[in-house]
Amino acid sequence: MTPDRPGPGRRRRRAWAGAAVAVLLAAAAGCGGGDGGSSGEGAGGDGGPPEPPADGDRVVVLAEEFVLADVLDLGIDPVASTVSVEEVGFQGMDGYDTEGIEVLPMTTLSLEHLASLRPDVIVTLQFWADQVGEEALEGMADLLIVPDGLTASERLTELGEMLDRPDEAAALVAELDEATE
């Protein structure tokens, strides 16, 4: 075996991983939930920009715990969120009430289970939208995609705009700036 070519075990694992992704995407496409008419990044069901969550909307966060913390700080209570390590749960979230938030495994996320949660809004990072597939997620809910590579302050500001909480975001950014001076 040469270093340039993966061995048979690695090729087999890659094949299984590719097959698993294809099955998940096919299952998500069959789950529906939207009207199929959405287009563009983060588009709402009517083809326009997504609506921020209203009171009572079912919000799901598909990102690391720092995004969940930002969403909670902005006054949004998600019904579910992914975690970095499923067996541990929400890490670094000691100051937050996460008791009512369903833990979703990040590495083995089932799109069928995600669709069964009947989300109205999904908040995610661009990286995860690229990994899972925007089309699959848009078919389930309004999709709010946070661009990758933002600083904490930029991310809070962006989320504040997306979630219709700009004043809360500005206050959090000011608090963060004060704490880091």
Side-chain angles (χ1 to χ4, degrees), residues 15 29 33 63 69 104-105 107 115 117 122 127 139 145 159 166 169:
L104 301 174
T107 56
L117 295 173
I122 296 174
F127 173 81
I145 301 174
L159 278 167

Side-chain angles (χ1 to χ4, degrees), residues 7-74:
R10 178 179 260 174
R11 284 193 300 264
R12 196 173 304 121
R13 283 191 299 271
R14 284 183 183 167
W16 276 107
V21 169
V23 168
L24 286 174
L25 290 176
C31 290
D35 64 3
S38 61
S39 63
E41 181 175 298
D46 62 358
E51 292 293 319
D55 289 338
D57 274 356
R58 298 177 58 78
V59 176
V60 173
V61 177
L62 299 180
E64 288 83 354
E65 285 88 344
F66 63 87
V67 176
L68 173 60
D70 291 346
V71 169
L72 288 168
D73 281 339
L74 290 168

Side-chain angles (χ1 to χ4, degrees), residues 6 53 65 109 172:
E65 285 88 344
L109 178 65
L172 289 167

